[in-house]
Amino acid sequence: MARLMACIAGLRRARGRFGAIALLSVIAGVLASLLLHGAGWAQSPLLLAGGDTTVQNRTSQGYSQPAPNLSPEWLALHQVGDRHFEAAFVTPPAPVNGGLGPLFNNTSCTGCHIRDGRGMPIPGQLLLRVSLPRQGLPNSPDPVLPAPTEAAPVLRANAHLEASVSLGNAPPVPGIGTQIQDQAVYGYVPEARVKLRWQEQPGTYADGTPYSLRSPQFEITLPSGDPLPSHILVSPRIPSPVFGLGLLEAVPEAEILALADPDDRDGDGISGRPNAVWDVEQHAEVLGRFGWKANNPTLLQQGASAYINDMGVTNPLFPEPDGSYEIDAHTLKANTVYVQTLAVPAPTQRQDPQVLRGERLFNAANCAGCHVPTLRTGTHQVPALANQTIHPYTDLLLHDLGEGLADHRPDFRATGQEWRTPPLWGLGLVQTVLPYSGYLHDGRARTLAEAILWHGGEAASAREAFRTMPEGDRAALLKFLNSR
Amino acid sequence: MNGRMKLWVGVGAFVITQASTQAIADPTPESASTGDRPIATQPHPVAPAPLSVAQAGGEGGEGGEGIAPQSVGFCAAIAVEGGGEGGESGAAQPVSSPVRVYDAATVPALPFGDRQVLTSFVDTVLLPTYGELNRAAQRLHRAIAQFAARPTQANLQATRQAWLAARLPWESSEAFAFGPAASLGYDAGLDDWPVNEVDVLAILQSQDALTPEYLETLQTSQKGFHTIEFLLFGRNNDKRLTDFTPRELEYLQLIGADFAATAENLLASWAEGVEGYPAYRKEFVEAGDRSTAYPTPQAAATELVQGIIDILDELGAVKIGEALDAQNPFLLESRFSHSSLQDFYQNLRSVELTYFAGSASRPGRHSLSRYVASIDPSLDTQVRQYLLAAESAVKAIPGPIETTLCDPAAKPQIAAARDSLLTLRGVFEQWIMPLVQE
């Protein structure tokens, strides 16, 4: 309605007689609309999940729309960033998109964040973070560093620029760094070959209905043919959706910290701890927000580290040893703005009684204790993101999810059992955008029900609430989630 | 303002403008909300923003650099000079079109619910297109094998023809690339771009055994349409029979087999299901029923219109617009074979296929076109006119565009084609989408 009023005001300013006619037209239109559709319209307003950045789009491109409230200048930069996000890199020198590698996981942003959504738990998209255990480091130097060979002349040991980020509790693995790059341009040897098997484990709902949960088993083979030594910590992670992230970046730190309850003073069994991570630009420890463990502080750094670590593309934040880089600051900026300004799709079927019931059950089971429905943004360099009321269903904090989901690999202040609450907005579009994709950090959950059933630790009581619900209630809760 | 509100605002505008006998004939951004619906005069989302950005690229180097860090090549000199000109041709100016006024009859009484439109689309458009792609891919595979066995000029010609023929169904499927094409990697597997030329040449120069196991280690930028094209046509459609090495023929066979298998899987993913997943056809045609991807028929119909909008944007703003503004033929997708123009025609064909569930002259009984016409026949007529205009504008581009892109004489036609495509995008975005949306 605000936009309508602005529009009327604009008309009034803009024109004399024609303006008056136009104004009358608009008013007549509004009256007609209210008269004929008013009841329905008033009952089912669009839930502005992303505030003024919300779009009504439930297609496979639902995550890929620019925020509708961008000024032409920001929209233009968004469109430039869109091209960069899609650009597939190739081995240099090349007339188009040179700069790939030498080691990498994928060749483009969109190769992992497919249609700006998540990726699949398959090689090339599923990423394995690795590190040495902080305690009891084996004394032997470079236990897995392969010797240079004719075929692999220049394996840049620790060329992983994330190693330059202070990772006190996740020391890089010599020869690998903190991420296994399982692809390489011609003439280089990938750091490892990764094979994935799924292991099933049965369970039952309280009503006796059986289910089966799967978890991944990795077979990681080094170039030498040896398996990755077992003392090395491995954390598998699928790519996360990238829409709405600018809004999360714009949530004031104080608002997030106010949600934290590290010692569970309110006694609800839910703690919520902020991560504190290294900001490469500021050279300081700051609040972490992005990634499965909230291990990245800003979208600029997230993007820059993805360029260098996932694609082997050096950039101003993570340059070559001699200070040069393969993409410039403008590219990095546009790419960041693209991700910052992707719209949030509005929920659907909001007035469906089953959805409404599901929402009540969601709150009653205290899912909302971590998946906080509503946040407010503060200031942001992109004006369209500032001062918005949003419904991301996250608190951006770390929570202990129990042994079942643990990766046992610390990440800054996150323990091996903690994960950052992922947003639930757009959740119902996951299978539309990327059919067959999975949920949770490694994509193990094939359905939302499986994802809930994996919750443990602080979320054990919420999971039990779901597991013990009558079937109809479970279906309502799932329908609610799928309406987001 | 939601779509329905907009429509009714339009109705109000119509009633009053009729009564006042003084039509508002001055479409400005604001007047969009009065129902006049001028295409592309709203700053967003219709305005061809990428183009205005490319202009900025000319001034500040904001855009193109990362995408094309070394825009050297055919018309490097022109590119330098053309940077400033990009602004003029850039046509960030609104693309104008006749005013359209909705009347009361235009508003659908009920939300889109004609599942037969969905079924008809899958069965008469999508499956036959993927079926033809599969057959064309198998023919290409066989042609490569024949050429490798007997590398004659005639066999080379036949293989090149088979490659060009396989492009037709593929490019005419680009308006409906949703579903398994993206998530199971078939799109990238068939049509990754650009080719990793450095790596492909390194493989050719190596002694590596080109086995099926080796194929598994290849990246998508080392196989698929464009690597095959690179090997068959050379860098600038200039490869001679005597240029072919036995190693190239061997590599072509390896990736030719992979190409055929991928095309077969793409078809199977919709028709029968692959990797233990059910046929994706069901997901789509059972929208609003048992589908996990499409909770309502409107969501599925919206998917079709969104696909049309996206390919028109890709074609107008990127494939044509970006290459034109950068004056860089390296950005043309099928530049090795000088057949990018043919891709453009087929992309438009994919819009036609999706909208008509057939062709403009023979629309399917159940199609978006019939649905639109059932609400407002004149709207359907207008869509046809814009589609025709876009087709003739694209056909007017002098070819091959690989050689005309930097020719100042061709610039007006190329820019006009881009503009008419973006206008057509606006037509679907502003007029058609509201009719199928929830």
Side-chain angles (χ1 to χ4, degrees):
Chain A
M1 196 48 102
R3 256 182 294 168
L4 180 67
M5 298 315 288
C7 168
I8 292 172
L11 283 172
R12 196 184 293 139
R13 273 196 311 275
R15 309 207 189 89
R17 197 162 114 251
F18 290 161
I21 292 168
L23 178 60
L24 278 173
S25 311
V26 170
I27 291 169
V30 171
L31 287 177
S33 171
L34 291 177
L35 205 63
L36 283 143
H37 294 285
W41 191 70
Q43 272 170 24
S44 58
L46 221 52
L47 179 67
L48 299 177
D52 292 338
T53 78
T54 310
V55 288
Q56 189 185 2
N57 190 314
R58 304 294 291 185
T59 75
S60 65
Q61 300 294 337
Y63 299 159
S64 304
Q65 305 302 315
N69 61 336
L70 295 177
S71 69
E73 295 74 25
W74 285 103
L75 177 63
L77 195 52
H78 172 100
Q79 309 275 24
V80 174
D82 191 356
R83 312 281 172 265
H84 292 311
F85 201 81
E86 279 184 9
F89 285 89
V90 295
T91 310
V96 182
N97 303 350
L100 180 67
L103 302 179
F104 59 96
N105 296 99
N106 211 313
T107 61
S108 65
C109 304
T110 194
C112 279
H113 303 280
I114 297 170
R115 297 182 173 222
D116 305 300
R118 60 193 61 214
M120 304 282 272
I122 56 172
Q125 293 174 36
L126 183 80
L127 222 129
L128 297 181
R129 297 216 182 282
V130 291
S131 53
L132 295 175
R134 191 161 40 159
Q135 305 297 324
L137 290 178
N139 236 354
S140 59
D142 294 357
V144 296
L145 180 65
T149 65
E150 189 90 350
V154 204
L155 260 186
R156 290 186 298 171
N158 285 323
H160 306 266
L161 275 295
E162 62 180 312
S164 71
V165 177
S166 168
L167 281 166
N169 60 2
V173 179
I176 292 182
T178 52
Q179 173 176 325
I180 291 181
Q181 285 141 336
D182 55 0
Q183 312 248 22
V185 302
Y186 194 85
Y188 290 77
V189 177
E191 289 169 340
R193 255 192 353 238
V194 179
K195 273 194 182 160
L196 168 63
R197 280 184 303 110
W198 295 103
Q199 195 170 51
E200 298 279 343
Q201 66 187 75
T204 37
Y205 289 103
D207 65 9
T209 310
Y211 58 76
S212 179
L213 301 178
R214 67 172 192 180
S215 55
Q217 304 291 310
F218 294 98
E219 194 183 295
I220 304 167
T221 311
L222 298 169
S224 61
D226 296 330
L228 186 76
S230 58
H231 68 276
I232 290 172
L233 309 179
V234 179
S235 176
R237 320 224 176 139
I238 59 165
S240 300
V242 295
F243 67 89
L245 297 186
L247 293 166
L248 298 183
E249 192 170 55
V251 175
E253 189 167 321
E255 170 140 356
I256 298 167
L257 296 180
L259 295 168
D261 183 18
D263 304 316
D264 191 21
R265 280 169 201 262
D266 65 5
D268 67 351
I270 296 173
S271 64
R273 299 195 312 124
N275 205 348
V277 305
W278 191 249
D279 186 310
V280 176
E281 272 189 305
Q282 295 183 38
H283 294 281
E285 196 176 53
V286 302
L287 176 71
R289 294 170 193 251
F290 303 107
W292 287 104
K293 294 231 181 199
N295 66 355
N296 248 307
T298 63
L299 293 169
L300 183 77
Q301 184 170 330
Q302 174 92 49
S305 60
Y307 267 117
I308 180 64
N309 292 314
D310 303 354
M311 299 185 275
V313 177
T314 50
N315 57 72
L317 229 53
F318 298 105
E320 302 277 356
D322 68 2
S324 65
Y325 34 77
E326 290 161 326
I327 55 161
D328 62 15
H330 290 297
T331 303
L332 192 56
K333 162 89 174 168
N335 190 279
T336 305
V337 168
Y338 174 68
V339 168
Q340 284 169 330
T341 55
L342 280 168
V344 176
T348 181
Q349 299 177 304
R350 281 201 69 222
Q351 300 308 311
D352 185 299
Q354 206 186 1
V355 169
L356 291 170
R357 186 157 130 243
E359 184 166 19
R360 285 194 296 275
L361 292 163
F362 179 84
N363 291 323
N366 201 21
C367 304
C370 301
H371 293 286
V372 174
T374 305
L375 295 175
R376 286 273 313 165
T377 69
T379 58
H380 195 277
Q381 63 170 132
V382 183
L385 303 173
N387 302 315
Q388 302 292 318
T389 299
I390 60 174
H391 305 289
Y393 298 93
T394 176
D395 57 4
L396 295 173
L397 294 170
L398 300 167
H399 297 273
D400 184 332
L401 267 280
E403 175 62 27
L405 285 176
D407 65 353
H408 304 292
R409 179 183 180 271
D411 207 334
F412 294 103
R413 292 199 187 162
T415 71
Q417 294 210 154
E418 283 180 320
W419 300 97
R420 185 209 62 166
T421 313
L424 301 183
W425 52 17
L427 197 60
L429 281 174
V430 168
Q431 299 303 326
T432 314
V433 173
L434 191 67
Y436 324 125
S437 56
Y439 307 88
L440 299 175
H441 64 276
D442 51 13
R444 65 176 66 190
R446 289 159 291 199
T447 61
L448 286 176
E450 288 184 16
I452 299 169
L453 291 165
W454 271 110
H455 282 55
E458 295 174 32
S461 68
R463 177 205 63 216
E464 278 306 284
F466 176 72
R467 200 184 64 83
T468 55
M469 278 177 193
E471 194 187 347
D473 284 0
R474 296 201 305 266
L477 180 58
L478 294 173
K479 183 147 185 173
F480 161 68
L481 293 175
N482 273 316
S483 73
R484 295 302 97 170
Chain B
M1 230 191 315
N2 68 8
R4 182 178 283 166
M5 174 75 119
K6 245 186 216 168
L7 289 180
W8 278 104
V9 169
V11 173
F14 177 78
V15 170
I16 290 186
T17 50
Q18 290 300 302
S20 72
T21 71
Q22 177 71 66
I24 300 168
D26 169 30
T28 65
E30 288 91 343
S31 76
S33 11
T34 69
D36 292 349
R37 306 191 159 261
I39 297 304
T41 52
Q42 285 185 331
H44 172 75
V46 178
L51 307 174
S52 62
V53 165
Q55 287 180 299
E59 292 157 20
E62 186 97 25
E65 291 182 5
I67 296 281
Q70 305 156 41
S71 12
V72 292
F74 302 146
C75 43
I78 300 174
V80 172
E81 197 180 281
E85 280 182 355
E88 293 155 42
S89 79
Q93 294 82 12
V95 181
S96 60
S97 66
V99 165
R100 174 175 178 79
V101 179
Y102 274 96
D103 59 24
T106 309
V107 183
L110 291 166
F112 175 89
D114 187 355
R115 281 226 198 82
Q116 283 180 300
V117 171
L118 309 176
T119 312
S120 164
F121 163 75
V122 174
D123 293 343
T124 66
V125 175
L126 184 140
L127 289 175
T129 305
Y130 284 160
E132 176 50 30
L133 173 69
N134 180 39
R135 285 189 298 277
Q138 309 306 326
R139 282 195 292 268
L140 173 60
H141 180 209
R142 283 197 300 274
I144 288 172
Q146 261 174 28
F147 175 51
R150 287 200 321 123
T152 63
Q153 187 63 41
N155 281 343
L156 173 59
Q157 241 0 77
T159 312
R160 285 177 176 163
Q161 281 309 318
W163 185 89
L164 290 166
R167 287 299 281 174
L168 305 179
W170 172 251
E171 290 294 309
S172 69
S173 77
E174 290 211 336
F176 41 90
F178 57 92
S183 54
L184 297 182
Y186 301 139
D187 194 334
L190 291 171
D191 196 32
D192 201 0
W193 188 91
V195 173
N196 193 329
E197 295 177 40
V198 170
D199 279 13
V200 170
L201 293 175
I203 293 168
L204 291 171
Q205 280 153 19
S206 76
Q207 308 291 312
D208 299 349
L210 300 178
T211 60
E213 295 72 44
Y214 190 79
L215 179 68
E216 297 295 310
T217 70
L218 289 184
Q219 276 122 43
T220 50
S221 57
Q222 300 162 349
K223 58 184 190 177
F225 263 121
H226 296 296
T227 304
I228 297 175
E229 180 195 17
F230 175 56
L231 292 173
L232 282 180
F233 293 87
R235 277 218 175 83
N236 198 13
N237 196 22
D238 54 359
K239 195 164 178 175
R240 291 162 307 179
L241 182 64
T242 49
D243 295 337
F244 283 84
T245 66
R247 185 85 176 151
E248 286 176 342
L249 297 175
E250 200 188 346
Y251 191 76
L252 267 171
Q253 283 183 280
L254 187 73
I255 61 176
D258 179 73
F259 181 79
T262 308
E264 191 171 351
N265 279 333
L266 174 58
L267 173 63
S269 69
W270 275 86
E272 300 135 36
V274 290
E275 299 181 24
Y277 301 117
Y280 202 72
R281 179 188 182 281
K282 280 168 67 72
E283 274 297 311
F284 194 71
V285 302
E286 292 179 3
D289 187 4
R290 273 164 294 181
S291 171
T292 57
Y294 301 98
T296 59
Q298 299 108 64
T302 310
E303 183 73 80
L304 296 181
V305 179
Q306 184 72 51
I308 289 173
I309 291 167
D310 286 346
I311 188 58
L312 289 170
D313 187 66
E314 162 106 17
L315 181 55
V318 183
K319 289 187 181 183
I320 297 176
E322 201 173 72
L324 177 66
D325 287 337
Q327 287 287 285
N328 183 356
F330 282 107
L331 296 177
L332 296 168
E333 191 179 334
S334 295
R335 68 180 166 92
F336 298 133
S337 60
H338 286 198
S339 68
S340 299
L341 256 183
Q342 180 188 274
D343 291 352
F344 301 169
Y345 305 151
Q346 294 306 315
N347 285 166
L348 258 178
R349 169 93 181 118
S350 108
V351 171
E352 190 183 343
L353 281 171
T354 307
Y355 182 67
F356 294 110
S359 62
S361 51
R362 298 190 60 185
R365 281 243 322 269
H366 302 280
S367 58
L368 283 172
S369 165
R370 299 260 184 171
Y371 175 74
V372 169
S374 75
I375 296 166
D376 179 355
S378 73
L379 176 54
D380 180 57
T381 306
Q382 288 203 359
V383 173
R384 288 163 177 266
Q385 286 163 354
Y386 280 109
L387 190 56
L388 267 179
E391 277 167 1
S392 40
V394 173
K395 289 244 156 88
I397 297 176
I401 193 171
E402 285 78 7
T403 61
T404 59
L405 182 72
C406 308
D407 178 356
K411 213 171 196 177
Q413 284 103 315
I414 301 174
R418 172 202 54 203
D419 293 347
S420 91
L421 288 162
L422 294 177
T423 299
L424 184 60
R425 177 193 68 179
V427 164
F428 278 99
E429 205 163 40
Q430 295 192 5
W431 297 355
I432 306 302
M433 189 59 112
L435 299 186
V436 296
Q437 240 167 5
E438 282 177 39

